[in-house]
Amino acid sequence: MGDSVDSLGDGPVAQHWNPERYQREAGFVAELGRPLLTLLAAQTGARVLDLGCGDGRLTLEVAAGGAQVTGVDLSPDLVATARGRGLDVQVADAAALPYPDASFDAVLSNAALHWMTAPEPVLGEVARVLKPGGRFVGEMGGAGNVAAIVGAITNALAQRGIEVTRAYPWYFPTLAQYRAQLEAAGFTVDTIERFARPTDLPADITGWLATFAESFLSLVPASQRDQLVGDIRDALEPSLKQADGRWAADYVRLRFSAHKAAT
Ligand code: BEZ
């Protein structure tokens, strides 16, 4: 097959998830999500929905704590991996959850909400499936997340005459913006914080780009992608490569706990 460009349309291409690559390059997602479990403090037997559960690594830890956990994710491949861990997980769109009203005591979401670029329908669904008094605990990329990475991608594509705006796949709100979104959906915000969390990568930035930046990389023909990735890597090396030779991505987190009114 010759060169191909997967998307010349108006929006980002759908991200495809390869479970083996995800496990190799993104194992830190579940590990660094553990503070959410403390914030969640799920009771034994509580019905918990893991929204955007990915390959189920963190979901499994919630289950191990005694909660009755269900997961949803849009990726059939990651859902298959999560099911292989024995989890009750379904392929579903967070904006159209396949559950009756008031089904869950809590909804948990780690590193998934920033992929859901229209927050209103998602938050509406979270509110709908929660029982009165139910809790929504989450962590996502906040304003400024991966700014250096996005800047390097933007420059490398601009040098090729390509504008990234049509491929931009993420939603990184400010604290005030997300608080307002939660409140507009009927939640009371108990805690919300935004903080920088430089995130050690298992190797250099090329694995991260291959795992998470498909929407941008697919803007160039396949034959040019290695060169594009190399240019991005070179541009980021001075800022993201640490003195010990390890690479750290410039993550900024938004972490919150909110609840639905009790009546
Ligand atoms: C994040 O967890 O912040 C993130 C992961 C992949 C792409 C963009 C952001």
PDB file of all heavy atoms in Angstrom, residues 17 28-29 111-112 114-115 140-142 145-146 170 172 197 208 212-213 251-253, ligand 1:
ATOM      1  N   TRP A  17      -6.585   2.447  19.979  1.00  0.00           N
ATOM      2  CA  TRP A  17      -5.789   2.046  21.138  1.00  0.00           C
ATOM      3  C   TRP A  17      -5.306   0.626  20.936  1.00  0.00           C
ATOM      4  O   TRP A  17      -6.100  -0.287  20.708  1.00  0.00           O
ATOM      5  CB  TRP A  17      -6.635   2.122  22.413  1.00  0.00           C
ATOM      6  CG  TRP A  17      -7.123   3.508  22.683  1.00  0.00           C
ATOM      7  CD1 TRP A  17      -8.366   3.998  22.393  1.00  0.00           C
ATOM      8  CD2 TRP A  17      -6.384   4.586  23.257  1.00  0.00           C
ATOM      9  NE1 TRP A  17      -8.441   5.325  22.767  1.00  0.00           N
ATOM     10  CE2 TRP A  17      -7.246   5.704  23.298  1.00  0.00           C
ATOM     11  CE3 TRP A  17      -5.085   4.716  23.742  1.00  0.00           C
ATOM     12  CZ2 TRP A  17      -6.844   6.933  23.809  1.00  0.00           C
ATOM     13  CZ3 TRP A  17      -4.694   5.943  24.249  1.00  0.00           C
ATOM     14  CH2 TRP A  17      -5.569   7.031  24.277  1.00  0.00           C
ATOM     15  N   PHE A  28       1.912   3.940  33.530  1.00  0.00           N
ATOM     16  CA  PHE A  28       1.887   4.950  34.597  1.00  0.00           C
ATOM     17  C   PHE A  28       0.491   5.524  34.808  1.00  0.00           C
ATOM     18  O   PHE A  28       0.204   6.084  35.865  1.00  0.00           O
ATOM     19  CB  PHE A  28       2.881   6.081  34.284  1.00  0.00           C
ATOM     20  CG  PHE A  28       2.586   6.813  32.994  1.00  0.00           C
ATOM     21  CD1 PHE A  28       1.656   7.834  32.953  1.00  0.00           C
ATOM     22  CD2 PHE A  28       3.254   6.474  31.821  1.00  0.00           C
ATOM     23  CE1 PHE A  28       1.382   8.505  31.764  1.00  0.00           C
ATOM     24  CE2 PHE A  28       2.994   7.141  30.635  1.00  0.00           C
ATOM     25  CZ  PHE A  28       2.055   8.152  30.609  1.00  0.00           C
ATOM     26  N   VAL A  29      -0.404   5.405  33.823  1.00  0.00           N
ATOM     27  CA  VAL A  29      -1.725   6.033  33.940  1.00  0.00           C
ATOM     28  C   VAL A  29      -2.468   5.466  35.151  1.00  0.00           C
ATOM     29  O   VAL A  29      -2.992   6.208  35.980  1.00  0.00           O
ATOM     30  CB  VAL A  29      -2.551   5.844  32.641  1.00  0.00           C
ATOM     31  CG1 VAL A  29      -3.972   6.362  32.825  1.00  0.00           C
ATOM     32  CG2 VAL A  29      -1.863   6.561  31.470  1.00  0.00           C
ATOM     33  N   ALA A 111      -7.966  10.069  33.808  1.00  0.00           N
ATOM     34  CA  ALA A 111      -7.261  10.333  32.548  1.00  0.00           C
ATOM     35  C   ALA A 111      -8.090   9.988  31.316  1.00  0.00           C
ATOM     36  O   ALA A 111      -7.556   9.499  30.323  1.00  0.00           O
ATOM     37  CB  ALA A 111      -5.933   9.563  32.520  1.00  0.00           C
ATOM     38  N   ALA A 112      -9.386  10.232  31.422  1.00  0.00           N
ATOM     39  CA  ALA A 112     -10.263   9.952  30.277  1.00  0.00           C
ATOM     40  C   ALA A 112     -11.086  11.179  29.878  1.00  0.00           C
ATOM     41  O   ALA A 112     -11.365  11.376  28.693  1.00  0.00           O
ATOM     42  CB  ALA A 112     -11.199   8.795  30.616  1.00  0.00           C
ATOM     43  N   HIS A 114     -10.476  14.199  29.468  1.00  0.00           N
ATOM     44  CA  HIS A 114      -9.927  15.170  28.505  1.00  0.00           C
ATOM     45  C   HIS A 114     -10.054  14.691  27.060  1.00  0.00           C
ATOM     46  O   HIS A 114      -9.817  15.452  26.137  1.00  0.00           O
ATOM     47  CB  HIS A 114      -8.464  15.532  28.845  1.00  0.00           C
ATOM     48  CG  HIS A 114      -7.583  14.373  29.081  1.00  0.00           C
ATOM     49  ND1 HIS A 114      -7.071  14.066  30.318  1.00  0.00           N
ATOM     50  CD2 HIS A 114      -7.107  13.419  28.243  1.00  0.00           C
ATOM     51  CE1 HIS A 114      -6.326  12.985  30.234  1.00  0.00           C
ATOM     52  NE2 HIS A 114      -6.336  12.572  28.976  1.00  0.00           N
ATOM     53  N   TRP A 115     -10.406  13.415  26.872  1.00  0.00           N
ATOM     54  CA  TRP A 115     -10.677  12.924  25.512  1.00  0.00           C
ATOM     55  C   TRP A 115     -12.126  13.208  25.111  1.00  0.00           C
ATOM     56  O   TRP A 115     -12.501  12.975  23.961  1.00  0.00           O
ATOM     57  CB  TRP A 115     -10.407  11.417  25.419  1.00  0.00           C
ATOM     58  CG  TRP A 115      -8.966  11.045  25.560  1.00  0.00           C
ATOM     59  CD1 TRP A 115      -8.339  10.609  26.681  1.00  0.00           C
ATOM     60  CD2 TRP A 115      -7.956  11.055  24.532  1.00  0.00           C
ATOM     61  NE1 TRP A 115      -7.012  10.361  26.423  1.00  0.00           N
ATOM     62  CE2 TRP A 115      -6.746  10.618  25.108  1.00  0.00           C
ATOM     63  CE3 TRP A 115      -7.965  11.396  23.169  1.00  0.00           C
ATOM     64  CZ2 TRP A 115      -5.549  10.513  24.393  1.00  0.00           C
ATOM     65  CZ3 TRP A 115      -6.784  11.287  22.445  1.00  0.00           C
ATOM     66  CH2 TRP A 115      -5.594  10.856  23.057  1.00  0.00           C
ATOM     67  N   MET A 140      -8.163  14.543  35.328  1.00  0.00           N
ATOM     68  CA  MET A 140      -8.018  14.741  33.885  1.00  0.00           C
ATOM     69  C   MET A 140      -6.926  15.776  33.628  1.00  0.00           C
ATOM     70  O   MET A 140      -6.429  16.389  34.577  1.00  0.00           O
ATOM     71  CB  MET A 140      -9.346  15.258  33.301  1.00  0.00           C
ATOM     72  CG  MET A 140      -9.707  16.641  33.837  1.00  0.00           C
ATOM     73  SD  MET A 140     -11.396  17.182  33.476  1.00  0.00           S
ATOM     74  CE  MET A 140     -11.344  17.376  31.695  1.00  0.00           C
ATOM     75  N   GLY A 141      -6.574  15.954  32.382  1.00  0.00           N
ATOM     76  CA  GLY A 141      -5.638  17.018  32.051  1.00  0.00           C
ATOM     77  C   GLY A 141      -6.301  18.375  32.260  1.00  0.00           C
ATOM     78  O   GLY A 141      -7.449  18.570  31.849  1.00  0.00           O
ATOM     79  N   GLY A 142      -5.591  19.288  32.908  1.00  0.00           N
ATOM     80  CA  GLY A 142      -6.116  20.640  33.103  1.00  0.00           C
ATOM     81  C   GLY A 142      -5.393  21.626  32.186  1.00  0.00           C
ATOM     82  O   GLY A 142      -4.427  21.264  31.496  1.00  0.00           O
ATOM     83  N   ASN A 145      -1.908  21.467  30.261  1.00  0.00           N
ATOM     84  CA  ASN A 145      -1.419  20.085  30.172  1.00  0.00           C
ATOM     85  C   ASN A 145      -0.684  19.879  28.839  1.00  0.00           C
ATOM     86  O   ASN A 145      -1.133  20.345  27.789  1.00  0.00           O
ATOM     87  CB  ASN A 145      -2.621  19.129  30.255  1.00  0.00           C
ATOM     88  CG  ASN A 145      -2.213  17.694  30.510  1.00  0.00           C
ATOM     89  OD1 ASN A 145      -1.301  17.422  31.286  1.00  0.00           O
ATOM     90  ND2 ASN A 145      -2.895  16.763  29.869  1.00  0.00           N
ATOM     91  N   VAL A 146       0.394  19.153  28.892  1.00  0.00           N
ATOM     92  CA  VAL A 146       1.246  18.809  27.738  1.00  0.00           C
ATOM     93  C   VAL A 146       1.474  20.003  26.788  1.00  0.00           C
ATOM     94  O   VAL A 146       1.555  19.829  25.568  1.00  0.00           O
ATOM     95  CB  VAL A 146       0.724  17.551  26.975  1.00  0.00           C
ATOM     96  CG1 VAL A 146       0.810  16.318  27.861  1.00  0.00           C
ATOM     97  CG2 VAL A 146      -0.695  17.682  26.437  1.00  0.00           C
ATOM     98  N   TRP A 170      -8.186  17.104  22.385  1.00  0.00           N
ATOM     99  CA  TRP A 170      -8.273  17.119  23.845  1.00  0.00           C
ATOM    100  C   TRP A 170      -8.999  18.346  24.378  1.00  0.00           C
ATOM    101  O   TRP A 170      -9.032  19.399  23.733  1.00  0.00           O
ATOM    102  CB  TRP A 170      -6.856  17.077  24.451  1.00  0.00           C
ATOM    103  CG  TRP A 170      -6.062  15.901  24.026  1.00  0.00           C
ATOM    104  CD1 TRP A 170      -6.491  14.601  23.996  1.00  0.00           C
ATOM    105  CD2 TRP A 170      -4.713  15.903  23.532  1.00  0.00           C
ATOM    106  NE1 TRP A 170      -5.475  13.801  23.523  1.00  0.00           N
ATOM    107  CE2 TRP A 170      -4.380  14.558  23.236  1.00  0.00           C
ATOM    108  CE3 TRP A 170      -3.754  16.887  23.326  1.00  0.00           C
ATOM    109  CZ2 TRP A 170      -3.136  14.193  22.734  1.00  0.00           C
ATOM    110  CZ3 TRP A 170      -2.512  16.533  22.827  1.00  0.00           C
ATOM    111  CH2 TRP A 170      -2.209  15.194  22.540  1.00  0.00           C
ATOM    112  N   PHE A 172      -8.734  20.510  27.833  1.00  0.00           N
ATOM    113  CA  PHE A 172      -7.984  20.747  29.065  1.00  0.00           C
ATOM    114  C   PHE A 172      -8.507  22.039  29.712  1.00  0.00           C
ATOM    115  O   PHE A 172      -7.941  23.123  29.496  1.00  0.00           O
ATOM    116  CB  PHE A 172      -6.489  20.902  28.763  1.00  0.00           C
ATOM    117  CG  PHE A 172      -5.820  19.695  28.152  1.00  0.00           C
ATOM    118  CD1 PHE A 172      -4.913  19.853  27.119  1.00  0.00           C
ATOM    119  CD2 PHE A 172      -6.080  18.409  28.627  1.00  0.00           C
ATOM    120  CE1 PHE A 172      -4.262  18.761  26.548  1.00  0.00           C
ATOM    121  CE2 PHE A 172      -5.444  17.304  28.064  1.00  0.00           C
ATOM    122  CZ  PHE A 172      -4.540  17.481  27.025  1.00  0.00           C
ATOM    123  N   ARG A 197       2.138  17.917  37.352  1.00  0.00           N
ATOM    124  CA  ARG A 197       2.661  16.615  37.752  1.00  0.00           C
ATOM    125  C   ARG A 197       3.522  16.061  36.620  1.00  0.00           C
ATOM    126  O   ARG A 197       3.071  15.257  35.797  1.00  0.00           O
ATOM    127  CB  ARG A 197       1.529  15.628  38.058  1.00  0.00           C
ATOM    128  CG  ARG A 197       2.017  14.375  38.792  1.00  0.00           C
ATOM    129  CD  ARG A 197       1.085  13.197  38.607  1.00  0.00           C
ATOM    130  NE  ARG A 197       0.961  12.802  37.229  1.00  0.00           N
ATOM    131  CZ  ARG A 197      -0.073  12.102  36.746  1.00  0.00           C
ATOM    132  NH1 ARG A 197      -1.062  11.752  37.523  1.00  0.00           N
ATOM    133  NH2 ARG A 197      -0.121  11.769  35.463  1.00  0.00           N
ATOM    134  N   TRP A 208       5.248   7.840  23.590  1.00  0.00           N
ATOM    135  CA  TRP A 208       4.073   8.625  23.999  1.00  0.00           C
ATOM    136  C   TRP A 208       3.330   9.124  22.757  1.00  0.00           C
ATOM    137  O   TRP A 208       2.097   9.037  22.673  1.00  0.00           O
ATOM    138  CB  TRP A 208       4.520   9.797  24.882  1.00  0.00           C
ATOM    139  CG  TRP A 208       3.394  10.534  25.553  1.00  0.00           C
ATOM    140  CD1 TRP A 208       2.940  10.344  26.823  1.00  0.00           C
ATOM    141  CD2 TRP A 208       2.583  11.571  24.989  1.00  0.00           C
ATOM    142  NE1 TRP A 208       1.890  11.196  27.086  1.00  0.00           N
ATOM    143  CE2 TRP A 208       1.652  11.960  25.984  1.00  0.00           C
ATOM    144  CE3 TRP A 208       2.535  12.214  23.755  1.00  0.00           C
ATOM    145  CZ2 TRP A 208       0.697  12.956  25.770  1.00  0.00           C
ATOM    146  CZ3 TRP A 208       1.565  13.204  23.535  1.00  0.00           C
ATOM    147  CH2 TRP A 208       0.673  13.570  24.539  1.00  0.00           C
ATOM    148  N   PHE A 212      -0.496   8.233  21.962  1.00  0.00           N
ATOM    149  CA  PHE A 212      -1.544   9.214  22.251  1.00  0.00           C
ATOM    150  C   PHE A 212      -1.787  10.278  21.169  1.00  0.00           C
ATOM    151  O   PHE A 212      -2.768  11.009  21.264  1.00  0.00           O
ATOM    152  CB  PHE A 212      -1.203   9.967  23.541  1.00  0.00           C
ATOM    153  CG  PHE A 212      -1.185   9.115  24.782  1.00  0.00           C
ATOM    154  CD1 PHE A 212      -0.036   9.004  25.554  1.00  0.00           C
ATOM    155  CD2 PHE A 212      -2.320   8.435  25.200  1.00  0.00           C
ATOM    156  CE1 PHE A 212      -0.021   8.233  26.718  1.00  0.00           C
ATOM    157  CE2 PHE A 212      -2.315   7.667  26.359  1.00  0.00           C
ATOM    158  CZ  PHE A 212      -1.164   7.564  27.117  1.00  0.00           C
ATOM    159  N   ALA A 213      -0.879  10.406  20.224  1.00  0.00           N
ATOM    160  CA  ALA A 213      -0.968  11.575  19.324  1.00  0.00           C
ATOM    161  C   ALA A 213      -1.348  11.207  17.896  1.00  0.00           C
ATOM    162  O   ALA A 213      -1.002  11.907  16.949  1.00  0.00           O
ATOM    163  CB  ALA A 213       0.357  12.346  19.349  1.00  0.00           C
ATOM    164  N   TYR A 251       2.785  17.075  32.347  1.00  0.00           N
ATOM    165  CA  TYR A 251       1.369  16.912  32.691  1.00  0.00           C
ATOM    166  C   TYR A 251       0.940  17.940  33.737  1.00  0.00           C
ATOM    167  O   TYR A 251       1.674  18.267  34.662  1.00  0.00           O
ATOM    168  CB  TYR A 251       1.112  15.518  33.265  1.00  0.00           C
ATOM    169  CG  TYR A 251       0.946  14.410  32.229  1.00  0.00           C
ATOM    170  CD1 TYR A 251       1.461  14.516  30.954  1.00  0.00           C
ATOM    171  CD2 TYR A 251       0.259  13.250  32.558  1.00  0.00           C
ATOM    172  CE1 TYR A 251       1.302  13.499  30.025  1.00  0.00           C
ATOM    173  CE2 TYR A 251       0.089  12.223  31.632  1.00  0.00           C
ATOM    174  CZ  TYR A 251       0.615  12.354  30.371  1.00  0.00           C
ATOM    175  OH  TYR A 251       0.452  11.345  29.457  1.00  0.00           O
ATOM    176  N   VAL A 252      -0.291  18.395  33.561  1.00  0.00           N
ATOM    177  CA  VAL A 252      -0.968  19.241  34.563  1.00  0.00           C
ATOM    178  C   VAL A 252      -2.303  18.564  34.845  1.00  0.00           C
ATOM    179  O   VAL A 252      -3.053  18.258  33.913  1.00  0.00           O
ATOM    180  CB  VAL A 252      -1.217  20.664  34.018  1.00  0.00           C
ATOM    181  CG1 VAL A 252      -2.031  21.486  35.016  1.00  0.00           C
ATOM    182  CG2 VAL A 252       0.105  21.368  33.707  1.00  0.00           C
ATOM    183  N   ARG A 253      -2.584  18.271  36.100  1.00  0.00           N
ATOM    184  CA  ARG A 253      -3.813  17.543  36.442  1.00  0.00           C
ATOM    185  C   ARG A 253      -4.874  18.454  37.018  1.00  0.00           C
ATOM    186  O   ARG A 253      -4.568  19.461  37.683  1.00  0.00           O
ATOM    187  CB  ARG A 253      -3.544  16.426  37.487  1.00  0.00           C
ATOM    188  CG  ARG A 253      -2.419  15.491  37.209  1.00  0.00           C
ATOM    189  CD  ARG A 253      -2.225  15.174  35.769  1.00  0.00           C
ATOM    190  NE  ARG A 253      -3.116  14.149  35.242  1.00  0.00           N
ATOM    191  CZ  ARG A 253      -3.271  13.918  33.923  1.00  0.00           C
ATOM    192  NH1 ARG A 253      -2.627  14.642  33.028  1.00  0.00           N
ATOM    193  NH2 ARG A 253      -4.077  12.973  33.500  1.00  0.00           N
TER     194      ARG A 253
HETATM  195  C1  BEZ B   1      -3.098  13.035  30.015  1.00  0.00           C
HETATM  196  O1  BEZ B   1      -3.331  12.053  30.724  1.00  0.00           O
HETATM  197  O2  BEZ B   1      -3.019  14.161  30.475  1.00  0.00           O
HETATM  198  C2  BEZ B   1      -2.976  12.875  28.549  1.00  0.00           C
HETATM  199  C3  BEZ B   1      -2.726  11.645  28.009  1.00  0.00           C
HETATM  200  C4  BEZ B   1      -2.633  11.518  26.661  1.00  0.00           C
HETATM  201  C5  BEZ B   1      -2.794  12.595  25.840  1.00  0.00           C
HETATM  202  C6  BEZ B   1      -3.031  13.826  26.372  1.00  0.00           C
HETATM  203  C7  BEZ B   1      -3.114  13.963  27.733  1.00  0.00           C
END
